[in-house]
């Protein structure tokens, strides 16, 4: 099918490449044109603006935050300006529920459809078409974009007709990942302080009650402090944490663990870790426990 793809960062580039390889005709746009040009050699066409990419009738966007999504959607060169009547904008970014509600309203007023489809998975999963997609939006629009979403990964979760529902679930899921990181960091600290090999703890965890991908992947990252290059940068993790806390405040839901993790992330940023993975806030736990950095093994 004809698709537009807007936003070719660490996640978006891999996703656009997967769509091209799946046989879709993809027009790509990125604020930094060089990233779009790199995909032209693989069969994509390079659009001059986000509006031009949206003329395909279905356009997917994968952008850093709410402000970026809103900026690329609006204006004479934006997605809404280029999307034809009845067209569909699939936002795959992690944004707040309020932003999703606002975008859904603006698209509906313009005679277009807005679908939220944030994903679980790091850049390596995006490049390998192994993302889990959370999708919510008008039924006809979701059905229309399903072939594109199917190409991106084997798992899709339908969360109803209100696009914001997918964004709330994504924020809740990301919060649980940070809770796992915090728990791992604290467990490694107490075991290490007791003189026990922290790697042995990880083997016990993933070999018994915690045999899950999130514990296996982040367990190794936190244990060895392999925070660069970042799969998901710390400032973006803080942004997601902030969006979750905003939702909690709006809904009158206390989120004390999320508040703790916000402070961990702020401490990590203050220590100069802005260019590291979001899991690098685990270093703050280790340092507060007075433990030395881990020995680095050969990758």
């Amino acid at each position: 099918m004809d698709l537009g793809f807007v936003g070719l960062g660490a996640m978006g580039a891999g996703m656009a490449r997967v769509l091209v390889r799946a046989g879709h005709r993809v027009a790509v746009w990125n604020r930094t044109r060089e990233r779009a040009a790199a995909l032209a050699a693989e069969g994509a066409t390079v659009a001059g603006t986000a509006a031009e990419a949206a003329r395909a009738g279905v356009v997917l966007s994968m952008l850093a935050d709410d402000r970026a999504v809103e900026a690329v959607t609006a204006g004479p060169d934006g997605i809404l300006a280029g999307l034809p009547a009845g067209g569909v904008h699939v936002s795959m970014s992690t944004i707040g529920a309020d932003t999703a509600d606002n975008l859904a309203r603006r698209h509906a007023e313009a005679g277009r459809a807005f679908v939220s489809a944030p994903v679980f998975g790091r850049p390596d999963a995006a490049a390998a078409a192994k993302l889990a997609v959370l999708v919510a939006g008008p039924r006809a629009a979701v059905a229309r974009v399903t072939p594109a979403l199917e190409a991106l990964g084997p798992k899709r979760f339908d969360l109803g007709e209100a696009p914001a529902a997918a964004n709330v679930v994504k924020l809740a899921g990301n919060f649980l990942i940070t809770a796992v990181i915090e728990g791992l960091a604290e467990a490694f600290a107490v075991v290490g302080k007791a003189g026990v090999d922290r790697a042995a703890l990880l083997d016990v965890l993933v070999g018994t009650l915690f045999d899950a991908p999130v514990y296996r992947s982040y367990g190794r990252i936190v244990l060895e402090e392999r925070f660069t290059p970042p799969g998901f940068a710390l400032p973006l993790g803080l942004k997601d944490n902030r969006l979750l806390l905003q939702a909690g405040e709006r809904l009158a839901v206390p989120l004390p663990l999320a508040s703790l993790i916000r402070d961990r992330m702020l401490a990590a940023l203050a220590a100069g870790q802005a260019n590291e993975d979001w899991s690098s806030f685990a270093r703050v736990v280790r340092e507060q426990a007075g433990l030395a950095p881990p020995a680095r093994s050969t990758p």
Side-chain angles (χ1 to χ4, degrees), residues 11-238:
M11 291 290 291
M15 294 164 69
R17 186 170 287 111
V18 163
L19 291 169
V20 171
R21 291 176 179 171
H24 297 289
R25 296 172 295 278
V26 186
V28 296
W29 180 83
N30 193 71
R31 186 175 57 180
T32 305
R33 188 176 177 87
E34 290 77 11
R35 292 188 178 181
L39 286 167
E42 301 184 40
T45 59
V46 178
T49 63
E52 184 179 336
R55 290 187 189 120
V58 172
V59 60
L60 295 80
S61 63
M62 186 57 156
L63 300 155
D65 54 28
D66 299 55
R67 182 178 300 179
V69 176
E70 290 175 328
V72 167
T73 299
D77 293 328
I79 287 172
L80 266 178
L83 201 61
V88 184
H89 174 193
V90 184
S91 171
M92 309 197 76
S93 309
T94 301
I95 58 176
D98 290 345
T99 299
D101 284 337
N102 181 50
L103 288 168
R105 176 184 56 77
R106 286 161 54 193
H107 281 70
E109 290 172 350
R112 280 72 175 161
F114 180 79
V115 171
S116 281
V119 300
F120 285 126
R122 289 164 71 90
D124 55 345
K130 293 183 178 179
L131 295 172
V133 182
L134 315 176
V135 61
R139 297 298 81 189
V142 170
R144 182 175 174 184
V145 304
T146 293
L149 301 182
E150 286 177 339
L152 296 173
K155 293 183 179 180
R156 288 170 308 286
F157 298 88
D158 191 327
L159 295 166
E161 297 200 49
N167 298 106
V168 172
V169 171
K170 175 63 193 302
L171 291 172
N174 276 11
F175 161 65
L176 287 174
I177 294 172
T178 61
V180 168
I181 293 166
E182 173 70 21
L184 285 166
E186 292 186 20
F188 285 145
V190 72
V191 165
K193 209 64 182 289
V196 178
D197 182 6
R198 286 172 281 187
L201 170 63
L202 181 59
D203 288 342
V204 170
L205 294 178
V206 299
T208 55
L209 298 179
F210 301 93
D211 185 12
V214 68
Y215 280 96
R216 288 187 174 277
S217 60
Y218 281 103
R220 186 59 56 184
I221 290 170
V222 172
L223 176 68
E224 300 179 359
E225 295 195 1
R226 295 191 177 276
F227 302 137
T228 55
F232 185 59
L234 180 60
L236 294 177
L238 180 60

